[in-house]
Amino acid sequence: MSTILFTVVYVAVLVGIGAFLTRYPSDDDAKRKLYKNAGKSLALAAFISLAGSIASMATGIGKLHTLSCIVPLAIASTYIIYKDVKTSKEKGNAELTVLITMFFAIATVVVIVFSGNNMDVSVSKDEIVVSGVYEEKIKKRDIEKMELVNELPEIEYRKNGISVGSVNIGYFKTSDGKTVKLFLQGNEPPFIHIVKSNKKEIFICSKDSAETSSIFQLIMRKE
């Protein structure tokens, strides 16, 4: 799914849920007002997410897209939960809190998984950019070594990153105590291994081996 299509669907879902909450039928005035405010909050979050996503696509900053989807929804959810808990002290029911918490958790997972699967590698004469939530900009003058390898180092655990199936993106600790940065959309070799002058190690792998090899050749051609 492209970033544009994902953004359209994501914003449409927020607006749709917001519209439903705004028109939520209830004989309780306080509850009706609560749901109406919740709907407006989600609609505002959708507008901010759309604006942030457009800015992300215009600037090429992949991390901005992820943040613009998660942060506005997090703020809206916090506000809704606060209002719901405050109302429930009088009414004895916090059903909206449960629903919003579940929705926020699901939406966050969906956004993160999409960001992990939407990794893109762009190459210019002077720089390699791996876009996404853990975006990395590598100046070619800072590269000490770059090669294709058939094996990854043994990973002990994930320090700060995403691991969903064969997708592993972020910072991981190896069995020999090193911290490496992985951009893996698959687990089929070869893997692009880059060592920077500051000894930072990066591994890149696309969804299929042919694409990974193509990226490596593209980098080499633009040396």
Side-chain angles (χ1 to χ4, degrees):
M1 182 184 290
S2 69
T3 301
I4 295 175
L5 180 57
F6 177 85
T7 301
V8 170
V9 172
Y10 181 81
V11 169
V13 170
L14 287 185
V15 171
I17 294 175
F20 170 76
L21 292 177
T22 301
R23 295 171 175 78
Y24 184 81
S26 177
D27 295 329
D28 188 323
D29 289 340
K31 191 172 184 179
R32 189 166 57 249
K33 182 179 179 181
L34 171 66
Y35 275 68
K36 187 174 183 178
N37 287 335
K40 290 180 178 179
S41 297
L42 288 180
L44 179 59
F47 174 78
I48 296 173
S49 294
L50 178 61
S53 297
I54 292 173
S56 171
M57 287 181 275
T59 59
I61 303 175
K63 187 180 294 185
L64 179 58
H65 178 264
T66 304
L67 293 176
S68 66
C69 286
I70 294 177
V71 174
L73 180 57
I75 295 173
S77 298
T78 302
Y79 171 76
I80 294 168
I81 290 171
Y82 167 75
K83 286 291 187 180
D84 188 34
V85 171
K86 187 176 180 181
T87 302
S88 67
K89 287 181 179 179
E90 302 172 3
K91 303 294 181 179
N93 187 4
E95 61 183 27
L96 188 57
T97 293
V98 176
L99 294 174
I100 289 297
T101 300
M102 290 176 60
F103 175 69
F104 175 69
I106 293 171
T108 300
V109 170
V110 169
V111 170
I112 290 175
V113 170
F114 171 80
S115 299
N117 280 286
N118 201 44
M119 183 188 81
D120 181 61
V121 181
S122 58
V123 182
S124 66
K125 182 179 179 181
D126 302 313
E127 187 178 58
I128 304 165
V129 179
V130 187
S131 62
V133 65
Y134 286 89
E135 185 173 270
E136 178 79 21
K137 294 184 178 180
I138 308 168
K139 297 290 185 183
K140 289 188 176 180
R141 65 172 180 268
D142 295 331
I143 296 176
E144 185 176 283
K145 181 175 72 173
M146 184 177 69
E147 60 183 346
L148 282 177
V149 297
N150 291 319
E151 291 184 354
L152 293 169
E154 183 179 346
I155 302 298
E156 284 286 313
Y157 60 89
R158 182 183 69 247
K159 290 182 66 178
N160 178 14
I162 303 167
S163 292
V164 182
S166 61
V167 175
N168 292 280
I169 297 178
Y171 295 92
F172 293 74
K173 197 80 169 181
T174 65
S175 58
D176 59 1
K178 293 181 180 178
T179 296
V180 296
K181 192 169 186 180
L182 305 182
F183 290 99
L184 309 180
Q185 288 186 304
N187 50 23
E188 291 295 324
F191 306 96
I192 300 173
H193 178 214
I194 297 174
V195 181
K196 298 175 68 174
S197 55
N198 61 2
K199 303 306 177 184
K200 181 177 182 179
E201 293 190 49
I202 300 165
F203 291 86
I204 303 170
C205 179
S206 293
K207 294 177 181 179
D208 63 79
S209 57
E211 187 176 351
T212 302
S213 297
S214 295
I215 293 172
F216 181 78
Q217 294 302 324
L218 178 62
I219 296 172
M220 296 301 291
R221 283 199 301 269
K222 293 196 175 184
E223 284 286 351

